[in-house]
Amino acid sequence: MSQKRILVIAASESSGETGIEADQKVISAHGCDTLTATTALKPRGPRSKLGIFSPPEAFVKNAVEGCLGGGGVGVVKTGYLASTEIVGIVVEALKRYGPRFVVVDPVIARMPLAQEAVLRITTELLPLTTILTLNIAEALWFARSTKLSWDDMPEHPKQSNDEDLDYLIRLTKALHRLGPQYVLLKGGQLPLTANLEVPESDLDKQVVVNVLYNGTDVSLIKTPYFGKGVPQGADYAVAPAIASNLALGDAVPLATQKACRYAEAGVGKGNGQFNYFHSTYTLPFSPGYFIEYLLNRDDVKPVWHAHVHHDFVKRIGDGTLPAESFRNYLVQDYLFLVQFARAKALGAYKTNSIGDISAGAEETLHIQREMSLHLEYCAEFGLSQEDVEEQEEHQACTAYTRYVLDIAHSESWFALQMAFAPCALGYGIIAKRLWDDPETVKEQENPYWKWIQNYVADDYRAAVEAGEAILEKHAVLQSPSQIESLVKIFVHATKMETGFWDMGSE
Ligand SMILES: Cc1ncc(CO)c(N)n1
């Protein structure tokens, strides 16, 4: 699905806390895409006092028209419109291209703006506006700056007990007369009590009421009051979040309610920073590269290395492994594979996908074929199938197989696949390395050559690749915290593999 595109016409603020940069984070967090027309350039911190820089108006015009003329932009969100001319450019472009939604956050109280620009916003931009979002200070600024006569514009109350819910609603209605389809008045500067009354002390301040009005219906969106330390991003995030929700297809009231919830959640536990990505999952790997990521993790790499570079493996390669060790290992591996086949069969039971069921069944059969190699070797050692099956399981064998079977019972189907993973991946990698390594003693010179051949054979390779495909396909569907617990399973199973080699080396 292509991303929904939103044109942001606003100032660039190098702090990233407001302006285009902040809007872009909000919009990205909603899975939408941002196009920009930069109206002003504001440095961070004390340097901002040295001045806000203005890009040439021709640039702003070209950017706005280029973005809207290029098509695919359904929502325009405006922030700081730095000059009368820029307001004119925006108004002209909106009339020409008629985007579906126009979200206006008129940054008029905290950035310098000519009286004429405010007037032009009021008379020309607001009538083209889908939703005007503003806080109380901005609402009052409009009241002071505009030359319009407002019949029902409430006086700014001098006494705090006039600043009640009714006052907020009257203010919202007054602003609606300026022409936008909706007004959202953000009440963060006027927190109320839990019963929406005027608080008598700071302790009583509990609820922030945001008032949404469309000319007929007033709706109140209540959010908790977090005190004075609320990161400013919480306020600025509402408008771009509305723009995103509109782009994604919500009607204005729902888009607005969800935007207020988004902003509320971003305040989080109050470390002073607004969290834009509170509901965004970031997987630590790119799709298709889970295994590469997994094997390079700091908590996996050394454990994995210990398994695939074990001394037992080296001595299979150079043929110096004592026959006795190999025989003991093979017997235990046969017993291991019996239990592994049980786990594979149980895995097949644990899924509703017929593809995954039959893959599980295939793997079970594949284990049976792998076991015939073990029996061939054992015959050479004078051991029959019955002899092998009579042997007692070594603890390393019991530990590994019952761990996997326990995952099979207590965890998800995919967790079980992660418990299987070190087995196939490891033997695939080990055998290929031994096969390619010029140091490896080959053919008849090496009593274990058949073993190496078995794990580089086409059918084993195909089984490994099928397992890899399963990991890649399902890893991208997990949450980041699930990935962490899955990795732990993989690490533990890998250690069990190493334990198996250790046992063989005894
Ligand atoms: C212990 C162990 N791990 C992996 C394999 C590969 O199937 C095996 N045969 N035995």
Side-chain angles (χ1 to χ4, degrees), residues 329 333 336-337 370 374 400 422-424 427 455 460 497 500:
Y329 157 76
D333 204 47
F336 164 91
L337 288 171
E370 188 182 341
H374 291 55
Y400 189 1
C423 163
Y427 275 51
Y455 293 107
Y460 195 81
E497 282 285 349
F500 219 84

Side-chain angles (χ1 to χ4, degrees), residues 18-240:
T18 70
I20 283 183
E21 289 78 2
D23 286 1
Q24 200 152 21
K25 285 181 273 192
V26 174
I27 291 167
S28 299
H30 283 79
C32 298
D33 196 19
T34 313
L35 288 76
T36 67
T38 306
T39 57
L41 306 163
K42 191 177 170 222
R44 183 184 187 195
R47 293 202 166 257
S48 65
K49 298 210 173 56
L50 299 177
I52 295 169
F53 291 77
S54 306
E57 267 148 31
F59 164 77
V60 180
K61 185 173 163 64
N62 291 346
V64 170
E65 295 193 348
C67 291
L68 286 177
V73 176
V75 183
V76 172
K77 187 259 160 186
T78 68
Y80 181 50
L81 303 176
S83 67
T84 315
E85 289 72 20
I86 288 177
V87 178
I89 288 167
V90 173
V91 166
E92 282 312 305
L94 292 178
K95 284 183 179 158
R96 167 123 47 107
Y97 297 105
R100 269 198 79 191
F101 302 107
V102 179
V103 179
V104 172
D105 193 3
V107 185
I108 56 172
R110 59 190 171 87
M111 295 277 269
L113 202 58
Q115 179 73 22
E116 204 190 330
V118 179
L119 195 63
R120 205 153 177 191
I121 289 174
T122 314
T123 55
E124 296 182 36
L125 180 58
L126 294 189
L128 300 173
T129 297
T130 311
I131 177 163
L132 167 69
T133 71
L134 72 191
N135 60 30
I136 294 168
E138 287 165 337
L140 296 173
W141 193 279
F142 263 117
R144 278 197 291 276
S145 305
T146 175
K147 296 199 173 72
L148 297 178
S149 72
W150 298 8
D151 298 342
D152 55 355
M153 179 65 207
E155 285 292 309
H156 185 39
K158 311 237 165 20
Q159 251 124 48
S160 68
N161 62 354
D162 289 341
E163 296 178 324
D164 58 7
L165 181 60
D166 185 52
Y167 168 72
L168 290 180
I169 294 172
R170 279 185 298 134
L171 195 52
T172 311
K173 287 184 171 172
L175 286 155
H176 187 264
R177 295 170 66 91
L178 298 176
Q181 290 168 37
Y182 284 82
V183 174
L184 176 73
L185 182 67
K186 296 175 286 183
Q189 291 156 335
L190 250 190
L192 301 174
T193 69
N195 299 326
L196 306 189
E197 278 156 9
V198 177
E200 294 189 348
S201 73
D202 278 358
L203 275 179
D204 286 345
K205 295 178 178 172
Q206 302 219 350
V207 176
V208 167
V209 180
N210 303 294
V211 184
L212 180 67
Y213 183 65
N214 65 354
T216 42
D217 301 318
V218 172
S219 54
L220 306 181
I221 303 166
K222 292 171 240 170
T223 61
Y225 177 62
F226 292 107
K228 290 216 160 57
V230 177
Q232 50 181 1
D235 199 14
Y236 305 149
V238 174

Side-chain angles (χ1 to χ4, degrees), residues 448-464:
Y448 311 122
W449 184 245
K450 231 176 12 178
W451 186 92
I452 297 172
Q453 269 183 317
N454 186 58
Y455 293 107
V456 290
D458 286 347
D459 70 322
Y460 195 81
R461 241 338 322 135
V464 172

